[in-house]
């Protein structure tokens, strides 16, 4: 599923995100969405979320 569309992502969804410091390498981090941080319905680089544990990143893939 597409991580650039906000309605595809809900609290409790398992996702793969890229953190700010990992954008160049493209390293993905897996986690469960705790909070949606992007307010707009669509974002070209991915919806920004906070995972359980406090990690913040942009959604690249929805599991």
């Amino acid at each position: 599923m597409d991580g650039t569309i906000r309605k595809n992502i809900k609290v409790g969804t398992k996702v793969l995100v890229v953190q700010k410091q990992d954008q160049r390498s493209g390293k993905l981090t897996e986690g469960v969405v705790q909070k949606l941080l992007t307010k707009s319905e669509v974002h070209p680089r991915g919806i920004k979320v906070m995972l359980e544990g406090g990690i913040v990143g942009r959604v690249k893939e929805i599991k």
Side-chain angles (χ1 to χ4, degrees):
M1 224 186 254
D2 194 1
T4 62
I5 302 171
R6 193 173 194 270
K7 69 179 178 186
N8 290 343
I9 304 162
K10 306 269 188 272
V11 173
T13 306
K14 189 179 266 192
V15 295
L16 291 172
V17 301
V18 63
Q19 296 179 63
K20 183 79 170 176
Q21 68 269 22
D22 295 331
Q23 283 179 340
R24 283 194 175 153
S25 68
K27 178 181 167 234
L28 298 177
T29 305
E30 187 171 336
V32 177
V33 176
Q34 178 181 330
K35 187 176 184 183
L36 283 91
L37 303 176
T38 299
K39 297 289 185 229
S40 63
E41 287 301 311
V42 177
H43 193 287
R45 289 187 305 276
I47 301 297
K48 189 180 275 189
V49 298
M50 179 183 287
L51 302 178
E52 291 176 352
I55 296 170
V56 174
R58 293 197 179 272
V59 176
K60 292 299 175 188
E61 189 179 320
I62 301 171
K63 291 292 210 167

